[in-house]
Amino acid sequence: MPFIPNTDADRKAMLSTIGVDSVEELFSDIPEKRRFPELKLPEGLSEPELLKELEKMSAKNLTADRAAWFLGAGAYNHFVPSVVPALASRGEFLTAYTPYQPEVSQGTLQSIFEYQSMAAELLGMAVVNASHYDGATALAEAIIMALKNDPGRTEILLPCDMHPEFKEVVATYLAAHQAVINEYSGSPSTAPVSSKTACLVASYPTFSGEIYPLEDGARLAHDAGALFIVQADPLLCAILKSPGAQGADIVTAEGQCLGNSMNFGGPYLGMMGATATFMRKIPGRIVGETKDKEGKRGYVLTLSAREQHIRREKAVSNICSNQGLVMLQACIYMAAMGKNGMKTVAGLCHDKAHYAAEQIGLIPGYKIRTRTFFKEFLVSTPVPAETIFDRLAKRKVVPGLPLSRYDAARPNELLVCVTEMNTRAEIDSLVQLLKEVAQ
Amino acid sequence: MSIDPRAHYAASHEYARPEGDMLVIGISDHAQAELGDIVFVELPQEGKAIGKGQTFGTVESVKAASDLYMPVGGKVTAVNTALQADPALVNREPYEGGWMIKILPSDKKELDQLLDAKSYGATIGEE
Amino acid sequence: MNTTQEPLIFELSGEGRVGCALPKSDVPHYQLPAGLERDALDLPQVDELTVVRHYSRLSQKNYSIDTNFYPLGSCTMKYNPKVNETAAGLPGWRLSHPLAGEKYSQGSLELIYKLQASLAEIGGFKAVSLQPAAGAHGEFSGVLMIRKYLLDRGEAKRTKMLIPDSAHGTNPASCAMAGFETQTIPSGPDGNIDMKALKAALDDRVAGIMITNPNTLGLFEKKIEKIAAMVHKAGGLVYGDGANMNALVGVFKPGEAGIDVMHFNLHKTFSTPHGGGGPGAGMIAAGKTLAPYLPGPVAVKNRGQYGLQMPDRSIGRVKSFLGNFGVLVRAYAYILMQGKDGLRRIAENSVLNANYLKASLEHAYVVKYPHTCMHEFVAMGDVAPGIHTLDIAKRLIDYGFHPPTIYFPLIVPEALMIEPTETESKETLDAFVEAMLAIAREAVEQPQLLHDAPVTTPVGRLDEVQAARYPVLRYKA
C-alpha cells in the first residue's frame, strides 16, 4: 500500500469516531452491483522494479543523447542549464497548487510576474499571461480573441507555410465558431485581407523556416480593420526585432525552447502576449503587483473577471490548469541566460544553421529552399527524405524532418534544424552522410 | 441605500434619468453595493445604436462581473470617460459622477415600461 | 516560511553578468537579416549563484504538499511520489522527440498505449485519448465529441447542455467554447440532482448533461444510472467530469453506469504534481458510442509494433504532438506501483479520511449536507457573528495549514470545501482538527485575530482591488 500512512489500528479508531463498522459501509451510496469491481491490472511494483521496467521501455526510443540531432519542427533540442531543473523541481514549487491564496504563494506569484515581465520584453508586448497548454492552443485562443473582438468579421487568414499541427489545432478549436479559415502564401504583406478578415496571422518564422519582415503585414491588417497575430519563435526574438515592435496586436509562441527538454512533445509552454488594449480580453491567468495593509509589495492573481470561475459561460476561455511549472522553467532559463546569454544562444543557432545550409547547398543534388532563416531551413533532396532519415539514423545522425510525414506529395524535402547543441564536427558529418546517401 | 427619485429603473438595476432630450444611464446604488469595489467599466463607442435589453457594456469587481443592459433603446451620445481613470466613481456616486452613458432614446415610451423610484425601491426591499 | 522581502530578479541585475557558461562558436559568423536586427533587450543580467539564491528564497515563500497539509477541496492535493520525478526524468523520455517517427519511438508509444489501456480498465470505457493537457481541455474535447456526434446524426437542433448546480466551475465555459448553451439543474435537499427538475429540462433540444460524480458537495449521485438512462432516452449524451475520481478508483467504473464520455485529471487522482498551476493532464475516455470521436492521434498496437492513429470520426487534434507526455509518464508510474489492489485502497482511505474529518468538525462547523461523504465535504465558515469563511481560511495559514477551497460550491454559503486525500496520517488530520476547533473558539473570543490573519506570512492580506483597478503586469525600471 504505497503512500498511505494509516495502519489498521488507525483505521479502526477513525471508523469508531465516524460511527461505522467498516470502510465498505462508507460506500453504500454506490449501486451494489457496481461496487468494488475487479480491475484487470497487474500487481503493484516496488520502486526498483518500477524504475527497471520504465528504463527498459524508455531505452527503446532514439534520443538526442545518442545521435547528432538535426530534427526540430516545433520541438527543439536546446541546452537546458542545470540550474533550471534543479530550482524548478524544488518541492515548494513543484507540489504547490495554483496561487489562489496569495499570502502563502508569493514564491509562485513573484516568479510568474518575473516570467510575464521577461516574456513581455522578449515578445515586445505590454502584457503576457501565465501560459497556455502549448504554442498551438495559444494561437487558437488568440484567434478566438480576434473573432470576439469584432463579431461582424469571420475570416481567419493563416499562412500556408505554418506547422501542420498548429493548423489542425486551430481548426478543432474553431469547430463551433462561424469562422472561415483561408490560407495565403508568401509574405504576410501580400495576404488578401478584406473587410471580413478578423485577423491576419503570420508565422515568425514559417514552418519551413522563412523569416518575413512583419511591419507591412501589420499595416495591411490594420488598414483593413483586422488584428495582426504573430506566432513566433521566442528565441529568435532575442536577436531579431520583436513582433510587438513590428506592430503585432497579439503574439503567441511555443516556449519549449526556453529551458525545457523535448519530452516527446510535452509538457510544453504556450506563450501569449498582447498590447495594452487587450489586457482585459486576454485568456488565462495573470499576476499583478500590489501592496498589503502595511505597504509591503506583493503579487496576486488579477483581472480574474475574464476567467471561467467568475464569468462562467461568458468567460474569454475555459482555461484553468495551465503549464505553470514549464513557465517557471522558462522564467529561470531567461533569468540565468539573461540578456547576454539569450543573445549568445540565438546567435549560435543562427550561425551554425547558416554554416550547415552553406555546406549542404554545396552538395550536388541538394538545394536550400529557405531564403532568410534563423535555425531551421528546408532542403530539397535527391533521394526521398525518409530514406535519408533511415540511413542516417543507423549512423547516429538524425538529419531532420522528412516533410512526407505530413504531406505524401512532398517526398524529397527535409526540414533541417541546427541549434547551439550541434558542433561543427556534427554538422560536417551530416554533410558527409548526405553526400554519401545521394550517390 | 439611495434611490434617485428622478430616474426610472430596470429590473436588472440599470437606471435611466431624463435630461432634456437625452437619458442618462448608469447602475443603481443597490447594484454597486452588491458588486462591491468596482475595478473596471467597459462602455460602448459614442454613436453606437443599441436596442432595449441589449448589452452596452460590462462592469467588473474583483470577484464578479456583470453585463450592463440598455434600460431603453437608443443611440449613444456621450460616454463617461472619467470611469476609465476612476471606476470607483460608480461606487461613490452612482447617480452623479458615476453615470455611464447618455443616449438619445429611439422610443421615449420605453421609459414607461421601467419601474419608477418607488416601485424599484420595493423590489430591492427598501421604501 | 521565508518572510524577508525578496527583490525582483531585475533588481538584482548587474551589467555584463551571465548565469550560464556557453560554448564558443566553432563556425564563422553570418550576417543577420538586413533591417531586422534587434536593438535593446532589457532582460536581467545575473550570475548563477544569484539565480539559485533568488529562486530558492522565492520557493520558501510557498506552502506546498511537500511542506504543509493542503486540504483543498476538489483539487486532490495528495503526496506526489518522488519516484515519479525520477521516472519522468529518464533520458529515454526527456530527450525523445515527438516527430522522430514511430520506428524510433517505440518506448514512448508503448507507454502511451499501456496507459490508455490501464485508464480504460479503471474507468470501464472502450477507448482513451491522452491528448488533453488539463481537465478543462478534456471537458472541451468531450463536449466537442458530443457536438460532432449529434451533427453526424443530423441533430443540429440539440444545442442545450444541462449542468447541475453542484458541478465543477469550468463546465459552463467549456460548453460555450463548443457552441452549447447551458441550463442549470438544481440540487435537491439531499444534495443530489433534483430528478423532477431534470425531467422537466429533457426536451428535444437537449444535447446532454455534464455530471461531476461525486459532486462538489462530496456526495455520490446515487441515481446516476437512472439519470443516464433518462438522458439517453431523451436523445442526449452523458458527460462525466472525473475531477473527483479519487473517491472512485477501484470502487466504481463510470463507463459501466451509462457515462458516454469522461475526463480524468491525472494531476489529481494519479498523483502528478500541480506545479503551481500546471501542467496537468486531462485524458478523455469514451464508451462505444463516442469512441470514434476521440481527439487524436491515439496509440495503437499492430503485430507487436506500436503506432499512432486518428480515430475514425475524430474531432481532430486539440494540442500539438502527444499530450503532456511527461505528466503521462508520472501517472503510468503511479498506476504500476499501485497495481490492481492499491487503487481501491486509495479510494477507501481518501473517503475514510474525509469522513473522519467531517465527524470531528461538524459539531463546530455546520455541514449543510450531512450525509456520508465521499473524498471531500463542505462545511460553513460563518461560525460567529461578523466572521466569514475568508477569515477562517486566513487564520488557518497562521496555524501552518493551507486553507481548504473557499466559497465553492456556490450552493453552500460561506463554503469551506475540505479534501484531505488518502496520503495524510491520522496525526496530521488530528492536528488540523485541533487548529480548526481553536479557530472556532477564537472566532467567538478574539475575533480580531481572525480579521488580522495571516500574520506569519511574507505579506499580509493584499489589496486585490488596487491590483485589478490599476494593473501593474510587468516590471518597469
Side-chain angles (χ1 to χ4, degrees):
Chain A
M1 235 185 286
F3 321 122
I4 293 173
N6 286 333
T7 61
D8 285 341
D10 295 324
R11 274 185 283 276
K12 203 172 158 208
M14 291 162 77
L15 286 168
S16 130
T17 303
I18 298 166
V20 294
D21 294 327
S22 71
V23 172
E24 282 77 11
E25 255 181 77
L26 300 172
F27 290 91
S28 52
D29 282 349
I30 292 170
E32 199 175 349
K33 66 175 194 278
R34 304 253 177 245
R35 221 181 289 160
F36 304 123
E38 194 206 341
L39 290 182
K40 293 191 191 69
L41 293 175
E43 300 289 339
L45 299 182
S46 68
E47 186 167 333
E49 288 167 327
L50 169 74
L51 288 175
K52 206 166 179 186
E53 162 98 14
L54 291 180
E55 264 160 27
K56 203 174 105 201
M57 203 187 281
S58 68
K60 296 175 191 167
N61 289 336
L62 176 59
T63 46
D65 55 342
R66 295 192 289 140
W69 205 268
F70 297 95
L71 170 58
Y76 297 103
N77 183 36
H78 287 289
F79 183 67
V80 180
S82 305
V83 287
V84 174
L87 293 168
S89 65
R90 286 180 67 96
E92 300 94 328
F93 282 133
L94 183 71
T95 70
Y97 194 68
T98 306
Y100 289 128
Q101 296 287 344
E103 301 90 343
V104 289
S105 311
Q106 284 300 301
T108 296
L109 287 161
Q110 185 170 329
S111 305
I112 298 174
F113 185 80
E114 292 180 355
Y115 163 80
Q116 287 175 185
S117 302
M118 290 188 272
E121 170 64 18
L122 195 58
L123 304 176
M125 291 281 102
V127 50
V128 165
N129 70 15
S131 78
H132 287 264
Y133 309 134
D134 66 358
T137 62
L139 175 64
E141 296 241 30
I143 290 170
I144 291 172
M145 268 172 80
L147 288 168
K148 287 185 174 170
N149 182 55
D150 184 347
R153 292 169 178 262
T154 51
E155 187 197 41
I156 313 296
L157 278 172
L158 294 184
C160 299
D161 189 13
M162 172 179 260
H163 199 299
E165 298 197 11
F166 279 52
K167 286 190 201 174
E168 288 179 47
V169 171
V170 168
T172 307
Y173 265 67
L174 295 185
H177 285 263
Q178 304 297 322
V180 184
I181 301 173
N182 290 320
E183 296 186 2
Y184 68 92
S185 54
S187 165
S189 62
T190 62
V193 293
S194 74
S195 61
K196 283 273 144 207
T197 310
C199 59
L200 169 60
V201 178
S203 288
Y204 188 60
T206 66
F207 183 53
S208 59
E210 194 70 46
I211 294 171
Y212 294 105
L214 301 170
E215 271 175 27
D216 291 345
R219 199 171 309 121
L220 182 74
H222 293 154
D223 287 348
L227 298 188
F228 188 53
I229 298 176
V230 177
Q231 174 246 329
D233 176 341
L235 193 56
L236 166 154
C237 298
I239 49 173
L240 298 188
K241 276 188 187 165
S242 72
Q246 298 181 72
D249 299 291
I250 308 171
V251 182
T252 62
E254 174 50 70
Q256 175 265 334
C257 58
L258 304 174
N260 289 281
S261 299
M262 296 190 292
N263 273 325
F264 202 61
Y268 283 5
L269 172 63
M271 305 174 76
M272 187 196 286
T275 58
T277 315
F278 296 100
M279 181 173 67
R280 291 175 196 269
K281 302 289 178 195
I282 192 171
R285 295 171 184 145
I286 295 177
V287 168
E289 187 176 293
T290 186
K291 289 189 162 54
D292 74 0
K293 277 179 286 190
E294 289 168 13
K296 277 197 234 169
R297 181 170 73 180
Y299 299 89
V300 291
L301 288 171
T302 191
L303 308 184
S304 309
R306 303 162 294 120
E307 291 184 79
Q308 45 76 28
H309 59 288
I310 292 180
R311 194 68 67 89
R312 313 276 290 178
E313 65 274 13
K314 286 180 182 163
V316 296
S317 166
N318 72 335
I319 191 168
C320 183
S321 282
N322 58 20
Q323 303 287 112
L325 199 72
V326 190
M327 181 225 71
L328 178 66
Q329 297 233 144
C331 173
I332 298 169
Y333 178 84
M334 288 190 279
M337 288 293 168
K339 170 183 159 180
N340 302 312
M342 293 283 289
K343 280 181 178 284
T344 304
V345 171
L348 284 170
C349 293
H350 176 266
D351 291 346
K352 286 173 186 250
H354 281 74
Y355 172 74
E358 198 175 81
Q359 298 298 313
I360 294 169
L362 293 173
I363 315 172
Y366 290 86
K367 189 167 182 292
I368 306 301
R369 301 272 300 281
T370 312
R371 285 154 305 189
T372 308
F373 57 90
F374 169 50
K375 66 180 178 194
E376 204 158 21
F377 53 90
L378 193 61
V379 181
S380 294
T381 57
V383 288
E386 196 66 70
T387 309
I388 296 178
F389 191 100
D390 277 339
R391 292 199 30 204
L392 268 62
K394 286 202 186 82
R395 308 279 298 271
K396 300 292 173 215
V397 174
V398 173
L401 180 79
L403 284 204
S404 52
R405 295 210 183 141
Y406 285 120
D407 185 354
R410 300 174 73 176
N412 286 34
E413 293 176 61
L414 184 70
L415 186 63
V416 178
C417 173
V418 188
T419 72
E420 81 279 14
M421 300 290 271
N422 300 111
T423 60
R424 183 175 187 147
E426 285 182 351
I427 296 169
D428 290 343
S429 110
L430 169 71
V431 171
Q432 182 56 33
L433 288 169
L434 288 175
K435 211 179 281 176
E436 284 172 23
V437 85
Q439 281 157 6
Chain B
M1 213 57 65
S2 80
I3 295 172
D4 182 347
R6 298 161 298 165
H8 304 251
Y9 295 83
S12 49
H13 307 290
E14 293 85 0
Y15 67 78
R17 185 177 63 232
E19 198 179 89
D21 288 341
M22 305 291 165
L23 293 174
V24 181
I25 292 176
I27 62 169
S28 71
D29 192 26
H30 172 77
Q32 70 75 21
E34 288 284 300
L35 279 162
D37 291 318
I38 286 165
V39 297
F40 181 64
V41 185
E42 184 180 29
L43 296 173
Q45 297 273 343
E46 233 172 79
K48 196 174 174 189
I50 312 176
K52 177 181 160 75
Q54 291 187 310
T55 59
F56 70 87
T58 51
V59 57
E60 297 178 4
S61 63
V62 173
K63 305 280 182 204
S66 285
D67 283 331
L68 298 162
Y69 299 98
M70 291 287 270
V72 173
K75 193 170 140 187
V76 180
T77 58
V79 174
N80 188 355
T81 51
L83 298 183
Q84 269 178 15
D86 188 7
L89 274 170
V90 178
N91 292 119
R92 292 200 306 272
E93 35 183 292
Y95 302 108
E96 290 86 39
W99 66 276
M100 290 172 175
I101 55 173
K102 295 184 185 178
I103 64 163
L104 185 63
S106 42
D107 178 4
K108 263 204 157 168
K109 273 183 256 153
E110 285 179 356
L111 205 56
D112 302 335
Q113 298 160 21
L114 298 177
L115 303 166
D116 61 22
K118 191 162 177 237
S119 326
Y120 177 68
T123 65
I124 59 168
E126 303 228 351
E127 289 304 317
Chain C
M1 181 159 262
N2 186 338
T3 57
T4 56
Q5 176 120 25
E6 180 66 19
L8 286 162
I9 189 78
F10 295 87
E11 295 160 347
L12 299 167
S13 182
E15 187 62 37
R17 290 192 176 131
V18 186
C20 179
L22 289 164
K24 288 225 161 40
S25 183
D26 52 4
V27 297
H29 176 63
Y30 294 80
Q31 210 52 45
L32 289 175
L36 275 181
E37 218 165 323
R38 178 165 187 147
D39 303 328
L41 180 65
D42 288 331
L43 293 178
Q45 302 179 62
V46 283
D47 62 287
E48 185 167 326
L49 179 56
T50 300
V51 172
V52 170
R53 288 204 178 128
H54 176 66
Y55 291 103
S56 296
R57 285 180 184 143
L58 281 183
S59 77
Q60 292 167 341
K61 293 170 185 288
N62 274 358
Y63 272 10
S64 64
I65 301 175
D66 279 6
T67 53
N68 305 76
F69 179 42
Y70 221 119
L72 270 179
S74 279
C75 300
T76 312
M77 297 298 281
K78 63 166 72 176
Y79 171 59
N80 306 142
K82 295 299 167 192
V83 65
N84 288 354
E85 302 306 309
T86 309
L90 292 170
W93 309 129
R94 206 162 34 79
L95 301 175
S96 67
H97 191 288
L99 301 175
E102 292 175 4
K103 206 193 313 181
Y104 304 99
S105 309
Q106 285 297 300
S108 295
L109 296 177
E110 180 179 349
L111 184 133
I112 291 176
Y113 181 83
K114 288 182 169 171
L115 180 57
Q116 284 173 188
S118 307
L119 292 167
E121 170 64 15
I122 291 166
F125 289 97
K126 180 167 190 283
V128 161
S129 168
L130 300 174
Q131 286 288 1
H137 206 206
E139 289 172 27
F140 176 50
S141 305
V143 287
L144 276 181
M145 288 162 66
I146 291 175
R147 177 180 180 275
K148 185 160 181 176
Y149 170 80
L150 291 171
L151 289 178
D152 275 0
R153 289 170 56 99
E155 300 207 76
K157 66 173 181 198
R158 292 189 178 270
T159 56
K160 188 169 80 170
M161 193 67 77
L162 309 179
I163 301 181
D165 60 7
S166 59
H168 268 131
T170 40
N171 292 179
S174 299
C175 284
M177 279 179 74
F180 291 110
E181 58 197 281
T182 57
Q183 182 179 338
T184 304
I185 305 297
S187 302
D190 60 352
N192 273 201
I193 290 172
D194 181 335
M195 298 300 279
K196 254 169 120 175
L198 173 65
K199 200 169 172 214
L202 288 173
D203 56 26
D204 62 359
R205 288 186 51 247
V206 163
I209 187 167
M210 293 183 86
I211 300 181
T212 305
N213 193 16
N215 64 28
T216 58
L217 295 166
L219 302 175
F220 189 83
E221 289 290 348
K222 292 195 281 271
K223 297 197 174 125
I224 182 71
E225 288 185 88
K226 184 160 184 220
I227 292 167
M230 281 165 71
V231 173
H232 288 150
K233 193 165 168 234
L237 293 144
V238 182
Y239 184 94
D241 182 320
N244 291 343
M245 194 62 196
N246 210 45
L248 298 181
V249 277
V251 167
F252 175 76
K253 294 184 173 181
E256 292 179 352
I259 308 292
D260 297 297
V261 53
M262 179 163 188
H263 84 264
F264 294 173
N265 305 62
L266 301 186
H267 49 293
K268 295 182 180 176
T269 314
F270 297 95
S271 84
T272 76
H274 284 74
M283 78 99 207
I284 186 123
K288 67 175 190 310
T289 311
L290 289 178
Y293 294 84
L294 283 167
V298 296
V300 292
K301 189 178 183 182
N302 279 318
R303 293 191 213 100
Q305 287 291 302
Y306 296 96
L308 290 169
Q309 192 175 298
M310 272 319 238
D312 289 346
R313 295 291 306 152
S314 176
I315 56 164
R317 277 188 178 278
V318 293
K319 188 188 165 297
S320 61
F321 308 130
L322 295 148
N324 274 341
F325 182 77
V327 180
L328 305 179
V329 175
R330 291 170 173 88
Y332 186 59
Y334 184 71
I335 291 172
L336 283 185
M337 279 195 89
Q338 296 294 346
K340 57 194 299 185
D341 300 320
L343 290 166
R344 173 174 163 178
R345 302 282 172 263
I346 293 170
E348 287 179 342
N349 284 277
S350 73
V351 170
L352 175 65
N353 279 4
N355 277 286
Y356 178 66
L357 278 188
K358 176 169 160 286
S360 308
L361 288 173
E362 61 192 346
H363 63 279
Y365 294 84
V366 174
V367 176
K368 193 174 163 194
Y369 298 91
H371 188 75
T372 301
C373 68
M374 299 302 284
H375 65 304
E376 66 189 0
F377 66 99
V378 181
M380 291 160 72
D382 49 348
V383 290
I387 294 294
H388 296 283
T389 284
L390 187 70
D391 302 313
I392 307 283
K394 298 301 184 193
R395 186 63 180 151
L396 262 174
I397 290 172
D398 284 336
Y399 279 87
F401 295 103
H402 193 283
T405 298
I406 55 173
Y407 299 107
F408 196 86
L410 303 173
I411 49 175
V412 177
E414 300 289 334
L416 276 165
M417 189 191 207
I418 303 172
E419 178 182 7
T421 85
E422 76 282 4
T423 59
E424 299 299 334
S425 66
K426 180 172 178 294
E427 288 84 345
T428 302
L429 301 180
D430 288 340
F432 177 72
V433 167
E434 211 173 291
M436 285 290 282
L437 297 180
I439 293 170
R441 284 192 301 274
E442 289 172 353
V444 177
E445 292 158 11
Q446 298 165 276
Q448 200 55 37
L449 282 177
L450 277 68
H451 296 309
D452 292 342
V455 294
T456 55
T457 46
V459 288
R461 293 194 201 184
L462 289 154
D463 188 344
E464 298 190 35
V465 173
Q466 173 78 11
R469 236 177 227 168
Y470 306 108
V472 177
L473 309 177
R474 59 177 287 193
Y475 169 77
K476 290 228 172 62

